[in-house]
Amino acid sequence: MADSLRDRVTKFFQKNIANQVMRRMPFQTLLETTGRTSGQPRVTPLGGKRIGDEFWFVSEFGDRSQYVRNIMADPAVRVRINGRWHRGTAHLLPDDDAHARMRTLPQFNNLGVRAFGTNLLTVRVDLLD
């Protein structure tokens, strides 16, 4: 399915402006995946919540998100939480109620997902360290 104009504008803004700024913030939560074509690390700022040895978040574009596509190819990821990197394994949970899940996550982080999300997908990362 083709992306809407709103999706394309949102992705452009996130990739070229917001993500560039957010990556530099020392305590911004970051997700590092391995590029499915390049094999290079790809870092994406995001919001979510650590619950025990799991980190939960909701992707606003689901399987149209580049980092979700990277997870589909290789679920080994790293997550930076409060300035510290953790290795983990990501699991895509299409049967999880993403709207209900967002009610359990920090509300500020969900603003963009709520405003621009068109294909919500819950992701759980099982943290290894």
Side-chain angles (χ1 to χ4, degrees):
M1 174 186 258
D3 288 344
S4 70
L5 176 60
R6 182 179 87 161
D7 287 356
R8 289 193 307 271
V9 169
T10 300
K11 288 177 184 179
F12 178 85
F13 173 78
Q14 287 176 332
K15 180 180 179 182
N16 296 294
I17 299 169
N19 288 358
Q20 299 298 321
V21 172
M22 299 302 279
R23 278 188 199 108
R24 291 174 173 80
M25 298 178 76
F27 287 98
Q28 169 65 45
T29 301
L30 300 174
L31 174 71
E32 182 184 85
T33 60
T34 300
R36 63 195 176 281
T37 303
S38 70
Q40 297 299 307
R42 300 295 181 212
V43 178
T44 304
L46 48 77
K49 182 177 183 180
R50 182 176 184 160
I51 301 172
D53 289 333
E54 300 171 337
F55 182 78
W56 292 83
F57 65 97
V58 174
S59 169
E60 63 199 301
F61 298 115
D63 61 4
R64 292 192 316 261
S65 171
Q66 296 303 314
Y67 68 82
V68 168
R69 290 178 180 177
N70 290 343
I71 289 169
M72 291 167 70
D74 181 357
V77 300
R78 291 194 322 149
V79 182
R80 187 178 79 178
I81 306 168
N82 295 322
R84 181 170 174 254
W85 285 100
H86 303 269
R87 293 177 307 116
T89 303
H91 303 275
L92 306 177
L93 304 172
D95 294 330
D96 190 68
D97 182 341
H99 291 283
R101 179 68 56 193
M102 286 195 310
R103 289 191 289 275
T104 71
L105 302 176
Q107 295 304 303
F108 177 77
N109 292 326
N110 288 326
L111 289 175
V113 176
R114 288 183 202 282
F116 303 110
T118 56
N119 188 29
L120 303 182
L121 175 64
T122 301
V123 181
R124 183 189 79 231
V125 177
D126 295 336
L127 301 172
L128 303 173
D129 57 12

